[in-house]
Amino acid sequence: MARKPIIAGNWKMNNTASEGVELVKALKPLVADAKCDVVVCVPAIDIPAVKKAVYGSKIKLGAQNVHFAEKGAYTGEISANMLKEYGVQYVIIGHSERRQYFGETDETVNKRTLAALAAGLTPIVCIGESLEEREGGLTEKVLDKQIAEGFKGIEDFSKLVIAYEPIWAIGTGKTATAAQANETIGYIRKRVKKLYPHKNAGRLRIQYGGSMNAGNAKELMAQPEIDGGLIGGASLKPNDFAAIVHFDK
Ligand code: PEP
């Protein structure tokens, strides 16, 4: 079965609820005929307002993190069921900024991913190497560890999305070449299939993330291994984000 492309915006800590509603209002008509899955991953506090704003459109709602416990004494955290009750369908897990600034590890990524899946959310799990690691020839080794430790216990890979995000390409304007992204995503797919055979790994969707924009989306999305994009900066501009959604035009 062909893998349906998925373009997801990561607003990060941008847009108040009212700004988010304005952005969605502008975006809705621009993506009304989208053929791929379109997602906006918004700050948690924006969720109620953006939920209303996306109603009746192609745009699906996503969050940017989730805690792994069902409930309890975890001040400041948000559970998968809390997101689910608000109509959230997707959640980014293990973004490199969370790994870098908030102590996220492959182990916590794994716990959050299993909790999100158990609640019926679709995790978008981010993996990727730093510039130092790529230049040191360590990309595959780093990815192997992230795949082995981050995806333990997953029963069905058709129910999650992986975002391959080379850290050196995030927010830097430096995109991996289409060939580099395709090759590395091909490697990730091969590795997941090898480590998790019989877990529907053939239906796993893998996005590229890292300075994807209106100008380079077409070439990146034309690569056979690339099933979508996780978009930071360009997702804050409705016209740019819509142009990426329409990569096939
Ligand atoms: C991201 O934050 O996931 C990302 C890919 O950001 P940008 O598109 O701005 O590089």
Side-chain angles (χ1 to χ4, degrees), residues 5 145 155-156 161 197-198 200 205 228 232:
K145 180 175 177 296
E155 286 303 323
D156 185 351
V161 174
H198 319 301
N200 234 344
R205 293 189 291 179

Side-chain angles (χ1 to χ4, degrees), residues 2-244:
R3 301 183 301 264
K4 189 175 185 193
I6 170 168
I7 302 294
N10 173 15
W11 289 1
K12 311 193 185 191
M13 198 173 73
N14 294 294
N15 290 327
T16 63
S18 59
E19 288 165 348
V21 167
E22 287 309 306
L23 194 161
V24 166
K25 267 192 202 159
L27 184 63
K28 262 166 127 172
L30 302 176
V31 299
D33 60 347
K35 293 197 193 72
C36 59
D37 286 333
V38 182
V39 184
V40 288
C41 298
V42 310
I45 199 158
D46 292 6
I47 287 170
V50 175
K51 179 198 173 172
K52 282 191 197 143
V54 299
Y55 183 78
S57 79
K58 280 265 164 75
I59 307 166
K60 310 227 167 75
L61 186 55
Q64 298 175 10
N65 192 22
V66 62
H67 196 262
F68 40 78
E70 246 176 67
K71 59 161 91 169
Y74 299 100
T75 303
E77 294 294 324
I78 293 176
S79 76
N81 284 334
M82 291 170 187
L83 296 176
K84 185 79 184 164
E85 190 175 290
Y86 252 107
V88 171
Q89 289 177 267
Y90 291 83
V91 58
I92 297 173
I93 294 173
H95 190 280
S96 63
E97 287 151 16
R98 295 218 57 89
R99 292 179 189 255
Q100 188 181 348
Y101 305 128
F102 302 100
E104 197 79 65
T105 63
D106 292 327
E107 190 191 345
T108 56
V109 165
N110 183 243
K111 287 164 85 172
R112 291 180 207 277
T113 303
L114 293 173
L117 286 167
L121 298 169
T122 301
I124 299 176
V125 186
C126 302
I127 60 175
E129 80 288 359
S130 67
L131 185 59
E132 226 179 20
E133 289 161 344
R134 177 158 282 260
E135 289 178 348
L138 296 173
T139 300
E140 292 186 357
K141 195 167 169 216
V142 168
L143 293 171
D144 286 354
K145 180 175 177 296
Q146 291 172 337
I147 293 166
E149 295 179 11
F151 300 129
K152 262 184 213 157
I154 287 175
E155 286 303 323
D156 185 351
F157 278 85
S158 72
K159 297 213 160 26
L160 78 152
V161 174
I162 293 179
Y164 166 59
E165 300 208 300
I167 298 167
W168 47 273
I170 298 177
T172 57
K174 234 188 196 184
T175 322
T177 64
Q180 263 174 340
N182 190 60
E183 186 189 338
T184 311
I185 289 178
Y187 177 78
I188 293 167
R189 196 182 305 287
K190 215 172 63 193
R191 196 74 198 157
V192 171
K193 280 185 181 164
K194 180 152 194 252
L195 280 185
Y196 307 98
H198 319 301
K199 305 285 187 198
N200 234 344
R203 291 182 55 205
L204 168 65
R205 293 189 291 179
I206 309 181
Q207 300 171 310
Y208 167 76
S211 300
M212 197 190 264
N213 58 42
N216 59 27
K218 194 181 175 110
E219 193 193 354
L220 286 161
M221 290 301 297
Q223 303 300 313
E225 295 290 352
I226 303 181
D227 302 322
L230 183 57
I231 323 295
S235 74
L236 301 175
K237 299 177 198 139
N239 285 311
D240 289 18
F241 189 60
I244 299 171

